[in-house]
PDB file of all heavy atoms in Angstrom:
ATOM      1  N   SER T 268     127.721 112.648  -2.313  1.00 98.00           N
ATOM      2  CA  SER T 268     128.426 111.374  -2.490  1.00 98.00           C
ATOM      3  C   SER T 268     129.407 111.543  -3.665  1.00 98.00           C
ATOM      4  O   SER T 268     129.301 112.488  -4.444  1.00 98.00           O
ATOM      5  CB  SER T 268     127.428 110.260  -2.789  1.00 98.00           C
ATOM      6  OG  SER T 268     126.776 110.523  -4.016  1.00 98.00           O
ATOM      7  N   LYS T 269     130.326 110.606  -3.794  1.00 98.00           N
ATOM      8  CA  LYS T 269     131.402 110.763  -4.785  1.00 98.00           C
ATOM      9  C   LYS T 269     130.858 110.997  -6.197  1.00 98.00           C
ATOM     10  O   LYS T 269     131.308 111.898  -6.909  1.00 98.00           O
ATOM     11  CB  LYS T 269     132.310 109.538  -4.780  1.00 98.00           C
ATOM     12  CG  LYS T 269     133.487 109.719  -5.750  1.00 98.00           C
ATOM     13  CD  LYS T 269     134.451 108.552  -5.746  1.00 98.00           C
ATOM     14  CE  LYS T 269     135.625 108.804  -6.702  1.00 98.00           C
ATOM     15  NZ  LYS T 269     135.280 109.364  -7.998  1.00 98.00           N
ATOM     16  N   LYS T 270     129.864 110.202  -6.592  1.00 98.00           N
ATOM     17  CA  LYS T 270     129.296 110.320  -7.948  1.00 98.00           C
ATOM     18  C   LYS T 270     128.824 111.753  -8.233  1.00 98.00           C
ATOM     19  O   LYS T 270     129.047 112.304  -9.307  1.00 98.00           O
ATOM     20  CB  LYS T 270     128.132 109.333  -8.087  1.00 98.00           C
ATOM     21  CG  LYS T 270     127.407 109.409  -9.408  1.00 98.00           C
ATOM     22  CD  LYS T 270     126.229 108.448  -9.446  1.00 98.00           C
ATOM     23  CE  LYS T 270     125.372 108.731 -10.676  1.00 98.00           C
ATOM     24  NZ  LYS T 270     124.166 107.902 -10.691  1.00 98.00           N
ATOM     25  N   TYR T 271     128.156 112.345  -7.250  1.00 98.00           N
ATOM     26  CA  TYR T 271     127.575 113.670  -7.473  1.00 98.00           C
ATOM     27  C   TYR T 271     128.588 114.791  -7.240  1.00 98.00           C
ATOM     28  O   TYR T 271     128.435 115.886  -7.782  1.00 98.00           O
ATOM     29  CB  TYR T 271     126.290 113.836  -6.638  1.00 98.00           C
ATOM     30  CG  TYR T 271     125.204 112.957  -7.200  1.00 98.00           C
ATOM     31  CD1 TYR T 271     124.941 111.689  -6.670  1.00 98.00           C
ATOM     32  CD2 TYR T 271     124.484 113.356  -8.316  1.00 98.00           C
ATOM     33  CE1 TYR T 271     123.973 110.863  -7.232  1.00 98.00           C
ATOM     34  CE2 TYR T 271     123.513 112.538  -8.883  1.00 98.00           C
ATOM     35  CZ  TYR T 271     123.260 111.293  -8.338  1.00 98.00           C
ATOM     36  OH  TYR T 271     122.305 110.485  -8.914  1.00 98.00           O
ATOM     37  N   ARG T 272     129.629 114.485  -6.470  1.00 98.00           N
ATOM     38  CA  ARG T 272     130.739 115.445  -6.365  1.00 98.00           C
ATOM     39  C   ARG T 272     131.466 115.508  -7.708  1.00 98.00           C
ATOM     40  O   ARG T 272     131.856 116.576  -8.166  1.00 98.00           O
ATOM     41  CB  ARG T 272     131.707 115.024  -5.250  1.00 98.00           C
ATOM     42  CG  ARG T 272     131.699 115.989  -4.092  1.00 98.00           C
ATOM     43  CD  ARG T 272     132.881 115.933  -3.156  1.00 98.00           C
ATOM     44  NE  ARG T 272     133.575 114.656  -3.044  1.00 98.00           N
ATOM     45  CZ  ARG T 272     133.246 113.677  -2.213  1.00 98.00           C
ATOM     46  NH1 ARG T 272     132.186 113.798  -1.414  1.00 98.00           N
ATOM     47  NH2 ARG T 272     133.954 112.576  -2.148  1.00 98.00           N
ATOM     48  N   ASP T 273     131.589 114.342  -8.340  1.00 98.00           N
ATOM     49  CA  ASP T 273     132.221 114.303  -9.669  1.00 98.00           C
ATOM     50  C   ASP T 273     131.378 115.075 -10.688  1.00 98.00           C
ATOM     51  O   ASP T 273     131.909 115.784 -11.535  1.00 98.00           O
ATOM     52  CB  ASP T 273     132.414 112.850 -10.138  1.00 98.00           C
ATOM     53  CG  ASP T 273     133.478 112.129  -9.305  1.00 98.00           C
ATOM     54  OD1 ASP T 273     134.218 112.816  -8.568  1.00 98.00           O
ATOM     55  OD2 ASP T 273     133.558 110.885  -9.379  1.00 98.00           O
ATOM     56  N   GLN T 274     130.057 114.912 -10.583  1.00 98.00           N
ATOM     57  CA  GLN T 274     129.149 115.651 -11.485  1.00 98.00           C
ATOM     58  C   GLN T 274     129.351 117.153 -11.293  1.00 98.00           C
ATOM     59  O   GLN T 274     129.425 117.918 -12.251  1.00 98.00           O
ATOM     60  CB  GLN T 274     127.686 115.281 -11.176  1.00 98.00           C
ATOM     61  CG  GLN T 274     126.658 116.154 -11.909  1.00 98.00           C
ATOM     62  CD  GLN T 274     125.203 115.794 -11.566  1.00 98.00           C
ATOM     63  OE1 GLN T 274     124.693 114.776 -11.989  1.00 98.00           O
ATOM     64  NE2 GLN T 274     124.535 116.657 -10.808  1.00 98.00           N
ATOM     65  N   TYR T 275     129.467 117.552 -10.027  1.00 98.00           N
ATOM     66  CA  TYR T 275     129.673 118.964  -9.698  1.00 98.00           C
ATOM     67  C   TYR T 275     130.976 119.473 -10.340  1.00 98.00           C
ATOM     68  O   TYR T 275     131.002 120.501 -11.006  1.00 98.00           O
ATOM     69  CB  TYR T 275     129.714 119.139  -8.168  1.00 98.00           C
ATOM     70  CG  TYR T 275     130.047 120.555  -7.751  1.00 98.00           C
ATOM     71  CD1 TYR T 275     129.033 121.497  -7.574  1.00 98.00           C
ATOM     72  CD2 TYR T 275     131.367 120.970  -7.565  1.00 98.00           C
ATOM     73  CE1 TYR T 275     129.317 122.809  -7.212  1.00 98.00           C
ATOM     74  CE2 TYR T 275     131.672 122.274  -7.217  1.00 98.00           C
ATOM     75  CZ  TYR T 275     130.648 123.188  -7.046  1.00 98.00           C
ATOM     76  OH  TYR T 275     130.943 124.491  -6.716  1.00 98.00           O
ATOM     77  N   LYS T 276     132.052 118.717 -10.125  1.00 98.00           N
ATOM     78  CA  LYS T 276     133.363 119.139 -10.657  1.00 98.00           C
ATOM     79  C   LYS T 276     133.345 119.225 -12.181  1.00 98.00           C
ATOM     80  O   LYS T 276     133.898 120.155 -12.771  1.00 98.00           O
ATOM     81  CB  LYS T 276     134.459 118.157 -10.216  1.00 98.00           C
ATOM     82  CG  LYS T 276     134.808 118.269  -8.732  1.00 98.00           C
ATOM     83  CD  LYS T 276     135.903 117.252  -8.378  1.00 98.00           C
ATOM     84  CE  LYS T 276     136.040 117.095  -6.866  1.00 98.00           C
ATOM     85  NZ  LYS T 276     136.511 115.748  -6.488  1.00 98.00           N
ATOM     86  N   ARG T 277     132.700 118.229 -12.794  1.00 98.00           N
ATOM     87  CA  ARG T 277     132.635 118.199 -14.258  1.00 98.00           C
ATOM     88  C   ARG T 277     131.885 119.434 -14.784  1.00 98.00           C
ATOM     89  O   ARG T 277     132.335 120.111 -15.708  1.00 98.00           O
ATOM     90  CB  ARG T 277     131.932 116.915 -14.710  1.00 98.00           C
ATOM     91  CG  ARG T 277     132.142 116.595 -16.180  1.00 98.00           C
ATOM     92  CD  ARG T 277     131.748 115.163 -16.513  1.00 98.00           C
ATOM     93  NE  ARG T 277     130.311 114.919 -16.337  1.00 98.00           N
ATOM     94  CZ  ARG T 277     129.794 114.101 -15.425  1.00 98.00           C
ATOM     95  NH1 ARG T 277     130.577 113.445 -14.585  1.00 98.00           N
ATOM     96  NH2 ARG T 277     128.480 113.933 -15.332  1.00 98.00           N
ATOM     97  N   ALA T 278     130.753 119.734 -14.143  1.00 98.00           N
ATOM     98  CA  ALA T 278     129.946 120.884 -14.573  1.00 98.00           C
ATOM     99  C   ALA T 278     130.737 122.182 -14.405  1.00 98.00           C
ATOM    100  O   ALA T 278     130.751 123.038 -15.288  1.00 98.00           O
ATOM    101  CB  ALA T 278     128.653 120.942 -13.765  1.00 98.00           C
ATOM    102  N   ARG T 279     131.393 122.309 -13.261  1.00 98.00           N
ATOM    103  CA  ARG T 279     132.152 123.536 -12.998  1.00 98.00           C
ATOM    104  C   ARG T 279     133.305 123.700 -13.980  1.00 98.00           C
ATOM    105  O   ARG T 279     133.604 124.813 -14.420  1.00 98.00           O
ATOM    106  CB  ARG T 279     132.691 123.536 -11.556  1.00 98.00           C
ATOM    107  CG  ARG T 279     131.605 123.733 -10.483  1.00 98.00           C
ATOM    108  CD  ARG T 279     130.691 124.872 -10.815  1.00 98.00           C
ATOM    109  NE  ARG T 279     130.032 125.467  -9.664  1.00 98.00           N
ATOM    110  CZ  ARG T 279     128.990 126.292  -9.745  1.00 98.00           C
ATOM    111  NH1 ARG T 279     128.477 126.582 -10.929  1.00 98.00           N
ATOM    112  NH2 ARG T 279     128.443 126.830  -8.673  1.00 98.00           N
ATOM    113  N   LYS T 280     133.943 122.584 -14.328  1.00 98.00           N
ATOM    114  CA  LYS T 280     135.069 122.653 -15.259  1.00 98.00           C
ATOM    115  C   LYS T 280     134.599 123.125 -16.636  1.00 98.00           C
ATOM    116  O   LYS T 280     135.234 123.963 -17.270  1.00 98.00           O
ATOM    117  CB  LYS T 280     135.733 121.278 -15.372  1.00 98.00           C
ATOM    118  CG  LYS T 280     137.040 121.333 -16.127  1.00 98.00           C
ATOM    119  CD  LYS T 280     138.035 120.278 -15.672  1.00 98.00           C
ATOM    120  CE  LYS T 280     139.372 120.452 -16.364  1.00 98.00           C
ATOM    121  NZ  LYS T 280     139.973 121.783 -16.132  1.00 98.00           N
ATOM    122  N   LYS T 281     133.446 122.593 -17.049  1.00 97.00           N
ATOM    123  CA  LYS T 281     132.935 122.944 -18.388  1.00 97.00           C
ATOM    124  C   LYS T 281     132.565 124.422 -18.500  1.00 97.00           C
ATOM    125  O   LYS T 281     132.519 124.976 -19.583  1.00 97.00           O
ATOM    126  CB  LYS T 281     131.696 122.111 -18.715  1.00 97.00           C
ATOM    127  CG  LYS T 281     132.026 120.650 -18.910  1.00 97.00           C
ATOM    128  CD  LYS T 281     131.172 120.066 -20.008  1.00 97.00           C
ATOM    129  CE  LYS T 281     131.595 118.623 -20.243  1.00 97.00           C
ATOM    130  NZ  LYS T 281     131.408 118.177 -21.590  1.00 97.00           N
ATOM    131  N   SER T 282     132.240 125.025 -17.362  1.00 96.00           N
ATOM    132  CA  SER T 282     131.739 126.400 -17.450  1.00 96.00           C
ATOM    133  C   SER T 282     132.812 127.430 -17.094  1.00 96.00           C
ATOM    134  O   SER T 282     132.506 128.598 -16.856  1.00 96.00           O
ATOM    135  CB  SER T 282     130.547 126.571 -16.508  1.00 96.00           C
ATOM    136  OG  SER T 282     130.986 126.488 -15.166  1.00 96.00           O
ATOM    137  N   GLU T 283     134.074 126.998 -17.077  1.00 97.00           N
ATOM    138  CA  GLU T 283     135.136 127.914 -16.636  1.00 97.00           C
ATOM    139  C   GLU T 283     135.203 129.218 -17.430  1.00 97.00           C
ATOM    140  O   GLU T 283     135.516 130.261 -16.893  1.00 97.00           O
ATOM    141  CB  GLU T 283     136.502 127.192 -16.662  1.00 97.00           C
ATOM    142  CG  GLU T 283     136.753 126.436 -15.359  1.00 97.00           C
ATOM    143  CD  GLU T 283     137.947 125.468 -15.436  1.00 97.00           C
ATOM    144  OE1 GLU T 283     138.590 125.395 -16.498  1.00 97.00           O
ATOM    145  OE2 GLU T 283     138.212 124.802 -14.418  1.00 97.00           O
TER     146      GLU T 283
END
Side-chain angles (χ1 to χ4, degrees):
S268 64
K269 183 178 182 316
K270 177 183 170 185
Y271 290 96
R272 247 198 333 273
D273 291 347
Q274 171 181 287
Y275 175 89
K276 288 180 194 151
R277 196 165 65 246
R279 289 312 204 194
K280 190 150 185 58
K281 292 217 176 210
S282 68
E283 274 168 1

